[in-house]
Amino acid sequence: MATVSTNEFKNGLKLMFDGEPSNIIENETVKPGKGQAFNRVKIRKLISGKVLEKTIKSGETFEVADVMECDLAYLYADGEFWHFMNNDTFEQIAAEEAAVADAVKWLVEQDVCIITLWNGNPITVTPPNFVELEVTETDPGLKGDTAGTGGKPATLSTGAVVRVPLFIQIGEVIKVDTRTGEYVSRVSK
Amino acid sequence: MSWQPSASIEALRQRAKVLAKIRQFFVQRDVLEVDTPAMSQATVTDVHLHTFDTTFVGPGFANGQKLYLQTSPEFHMKRLLCAGSGAIYQINKSFRNEESGRYHNPEFTMLEWYQPDYDHLALIDEVDQLLQSILETVPCEVMSYQQVFLQYLNVDPLTADIEQLRALALAHDLGDFVATEQDKDTLLQVLFCFVIEPKIGLTRPMAIYHFPASQAALARLEPKDLRVARRFEFYYRGIELANGFHELQDPTEQLARFEADNLQRQQQGLIEQPIDHHLINALSAGLPDCAGVALGVDRLVMLALNKAHINEVLSFDVTRC
C-alpha cells in the first residue's frame, strides 16, 4: 500500500481521508520557528463531494488512494446498473446508482463520460460538458415570439428539466451545458 | 524553468536599503558586526528542525568530516560572547531543510544580535525600535503567552490539562490528529498557530513573552515563575518575525536540554544530533548575562515592501537557485 508524507502533498494528489478517497485542492505549510509544523489542506471527498479543511501534523503519512479516471461510453441502464464501455478495448463496467447520482439526467447513449474508479470500482460519473437532448414536454410557445424573455421550463428525454426560450417546441433537440444545467442552443437536424 | 530572478530588480533595490538601515541601526548603537561560519561540526538538537549536512574531505580529514549547515548562528555567536566580544550582531544565511512556502525558503537571511546586560524585556524594546525605524510602525503591544490564551481562548495554557486543550482544538476543527495527541505543547502550538496568531499583531507588532518552560529552547526560566521561560516572539501582520531569549547561562541545564531533545528524537524515530560541546565548554567558561534575538530579514523585507510571498524579495528562490 503506497503512502506519502506531507512533504509530497500537492494539488490534485488523491489520498485516503476518513476512509474516503479525496483530492487535495489546496495545501499550505505553517511552520513556527520553534515547534511543530502543520499542513493546512483543503480536500474534496470524491464520493460525497464534500469540501473540507484539515490540519495535519507535518511528517504524518497518508495512504494514497488508488483512484483513476477513464473515458467510457454510456451504453444502457438495466434498472439496477448503468453500463459503460471502453471504446478501444470494449471492456464494460457497471456503475451503481450512487456513482451515477445526478449525472443520470445527462446520460446519452454513446456519449463519452469520465468515470472515476477507486480500487477498480466506479465512484463518480461525470457527463460530457455539453449534451444534446430531445424536448419531450413544454408549453407551446406563442407564434412569432422569438425573443427569449424569461423562457419556460422544458422536460427532456432523460427527465431533466431546463429553462428554454419560448420558441422551443416539443420534438426539437437542444444543447445543454451539464455543469450549469443551462440551455445553450437549438440543434438543427 | 526561468533563469530570471524571483524578485524584481526594484524589490532588490528596496531590500538593499533595508539591509543598509539595519547596519546603520547597529552602528549607531556601537554593536560589533561579526561573521561566523555557515558550517559547523555539531548542530541543533531541536526536534522540529531539519538540518542540511555535507562532508568535508581534505588535509587532516581524509576519511571525511561531517559538517552541518547552521540553522541559526546562535552557537557560534555565544562562543564569541563567552570569549569577551561584547554586543554583537550578524546578518547571515541560515539553512533549514523541509521548509518552503509563502514565508519559508530553505536558505534564508537571518539577523541575529546579542546585548550583554539586557533581559528579555529590554531586548523586546530594542527589537521594537528596530521595527519602528524600518517599518515605521507604532510602538508594539506586549502580552504574555498566558494573557493571549486567556484573551482569545479563555484558557490558561499553564494550568490546562491535555483533555481541555484537546476539546478546545476539536471545537476549532483543528484536525483529526488532535483527538489522540499526547503532547501538550503540540496542542498549544496548533491553537496558537491557527486561532491566536491570525488575530494578533494586525495593526501594530505584538511581542509575546513567557512561553511555557517546555518551549524554552535556549531561554532561561523565569525565576519568579518556573512554569515559564524568558523567551519572546514578535508577530506582525500574520508573520512570525523574531524569536528571542534572556539567554540560559547554565551549562549543565543546557546540556540536559540537548540530551532531552535527543531522547525525544529517539522516541520519535528521528536521528539523534551531535551535541555542540564547544558551546557547552564556552558556557562553562562563562556566558555574560545577555539577551539575544533572531529576526527573519526576508520577512522583514516582505513587510517593508508589502509583498505577499517570500519569493518576491529573494533574488532566486529554491526553485530557481
Side-chain angles (χ1 to χ4, degrees):
Chain A
M1 192 184 301
T3 58
V4 292
S5 85
T6 48
N7 274 339
E8 294 164 83
F9 277 16
K10 60 180 181 192
N11 295 356
L13 184 66
K14 291 173 182 69
L15 299 175
M16 296 301 294
F17 282 106
D18 311 327
E20 188 174 328
S22 309
N23 189 9
I24 294 185
I25 311 171
E26 278 174 32
N27 171 41
E28 198 183 352
T29 310
V30 178
K31 172 79 181 84
K34 306 277 175 204
Q36 178 68 48
F38 302 98
N39 284 63
R40 198 76 185 274
V41 295
K42 193 184 263 188
I43 60 165
R44 176 178 287 115
K45 295 199 167 181
L46 293 176
I47 296 176
S48 62
K50 274 184 200 150
V51 173
L52 44 108
E53 278 200 328
K54 294 256 176 197
T55 307
I56 297 163
K57 272 203 288 186
S58 299
E60 282 191 356
T61 55
F62 287 82
E63 185 189 335
V64 175
D66 177 14
V67 168
M68 57 179 277
E69 290 180 340
C70 45
D71 294 335
L72 301 176
Y74 172 60
L75 296 179
Y76 63 96
D78 64 12
E80 188 177 0
F81 292 104
W82 282 257
H83 297 268
F84 296 83
M85 183 174 72
N86 182 322
N87 279 338
D88 298 323
T89 64
F90 306 113
E91 190 189 342
Q92 290 190 22
I93 278 180
E96 291 178 349
E97 189 174 3
V100 176
D102 284 350
V104 67
K105 60 185 180 189
W106 307 121
L107 291 181
V108 177
E109 282 172 27
Q110 302 310 323
D111 271 4
V112 174
C113 301
I114 299 168
I115 314 295
T116 305
L117 301 174
W118 173 39
N119 296 333
N121 302 313
I123 51 169
T124 57
V125 173
T126 311
N129 291 344
F130 299 101
V131 294
E132 294 177 0
L133 290 166
E134 187 184 332
V135 175
T136 54
E137 210 185 309
T138 190
D139 286 343
L142 295 168
K143 249 202 165 87
D145 178 8
T146 52
T149 49
K152 60 180 180 178
T155 305
L156 309 180
S157 54
T158 55
V161 177
V162 297
R163 286 200 79 77
V164 299
L166 297 176
F167 58 78
I168 296 293
Q169 303 296 329
I170 292 171
E172 285 190 284
V173 175
I174 62 165
K175 186 175 174 182
V176 181
D177 187 330
T178 61
R179 293 160 296 184
T180 58
E182 282 171 5
Y183 166 91
V184 178
S185 64
R186 179 154 59 171
V187 179
S188 51
K189 288 198 183 159
Chain B
M1 294 284 266
S2 172
W3 62 268
Q4 293 276 1
S6 337
S8 67
I9 298 299
E10 178 50 30
L12 295 179
R13 269 190 236 284
Q14 297 297 323
R15 181 187 171 101
K17 282 186 184 164
V18 170
L19 286 168
K21 272 192 190 172
I22 294 173
R23 289 204 158 86
Q24 198 187 355
F25 181 87
F26 289 106
V27 167
Q28 282 167 355
R29 283 168 168 71
D30 203 20
V31 178
L32 176 69
E33 178 165 12
V34 295
D35 189 4
T36 60
M39 297 193 290
S40 176
Q41 295 179 26
T43 184
V44 291
T45 52
D46 188 321
V47 176
H48 301 297
L49 288 182
H50 306 274
T51 50
F52 287 96
D53 60 57
T54 186
T55 305
F56 169 55
V57 180
F61 295 95
N63 296 323
Q65 165 68 50
K66 201 172 198 180
L67 294 175
Y68 298 87
L69 294 184
Q70 50 96 0
T71 57
S72 96
E74 178 158 9
F75 296 176
H76 286 127
M77 290 182 82
K78 281 185 176 167
R79 284 162 66 187
L80 289 179
L81 287 153
C82 293
S85 66
I88 47 176
Y89 84 98
Q90 164 156 232
I91 297 171
N92 76 345
K93 282 284 161 63
S94 292
F95 305 84
R96 295 182 185 183
N97 210 343
E98 300 194 16
E99 299 190 6
S100 175
R102 189 173 167 196
Y103 300 118
H104 296 86
N105 195 62
E107 172 182 342
F108 60 101
T109 302
M110 186 91 104
L111 162 65
E112 185 149 329
W113 80 95
Y114 291 85
Q115 286 283 13
D117 303 322
Y118 277 40
D119 65 6
H120 54 303
L121 298 175
L123 194 56
I124 283 176
D125 191 51
E126 190 165 62
V127 173
D128 191 33
Q129 285 170 40
L130 178 77
L131 297 184
Q132 287 182 39
S133 93
I134 289 179
L135 301 177
E136 290 166 6
T137 46
V138 296
C140 72
E141 199 174 342
V142 183
M143 276 176 97
S144 75
Y145 194 84
Q146 187 182 36
Q147 283 169 335
V148 281
F149 268 84
L150 285 170
Q151 176 160 342
Y152 293 103
L153 284 164
N154 200 24
V155 70
D156 183 343
L158 304 178
T159 58
D161 62 21
I162 286 200
E163 289 303 326
Q164 259 178 296
L165 296 174
R166 219 183 254 160
L168 207 51
L170 285 172
H172 284 86
D173 203 15
L174 290 171
D176 304 343
F177 78 89
V178 165
T180 54
E181 183 58 53
Q182 300 296 326
D183 185 46
K184 184 176 172 185
D185 286 313
T186 300
L187 291 168
L188 288 173
Q189 282 158 1
V190 77
L191 288 166
F192 191 90
C193 280
F194 295 104
V195 185
I196 298 176
E197 238 188 280
K199 292 177 185 157
I200 60 173
L202 299 180
T203 55
R204 56 179 173 147
M206 166 72 95
I208 305 288
Y209 70 104
H210 274 171
F211 278 72
S214 51
Q215 297 176 34
L218 282 79
R220 70 179 69 181
L221 298 186
E222 174 56 60
K224 286 171 271 179
D225 182 355
L226 294 175
R227 297 175 303 168
V228 296
R230 291 189 159 188
R231 174 184 155 210
F232 65 88
E233 292 253 8
F234 266 79
Y235 302 90
Y236 186 41
R237 285 164 51 192
I239 291 184
E240 179 198 335
L241 198 51
N243 175 76
F245 309 132
H246 191 190
E247 302 292 348
L248 177 66
Q249 292 170 294
D250 181 353
T252 313
E253 177 165 357
Q254 185 62 75
L255 184 60
R257 287 190 196 175
F258 286 159
E259 284 169 347
D261 281 349
N262 267 339
L263 186 64
Q264 207 184 336
R265 284 181 161 268
Q266 211 179 18
Q267 287 161 353
Q268 293 185 9
L270 300 167
I271 49 160
E272 290 177 49
Q273 297 286 38
I275 286 171
D276 192 337
H277 287 284
H278 283 312
L279 175 70
I280 300 296
N281 291 341
L283 295 181
S284 301
L287 177 72
D289 182 21
C290 65
V293 62
L295 183 150
V297 172
D298 309 299
R299 293 179 184 176
L300 183 68
V301 176
M302 282 174 74
L303 287 167
L305 274 56
N306 217 1
K307 299 289 190 190
H309 199 291
I310 195 167
N311 291 355
E312 295 174 68
V313 301
L314 298 176
S315 57
F316 299 98
D317 67 71
V318 68
T319 65
R320 299 178 186 224
C321 65

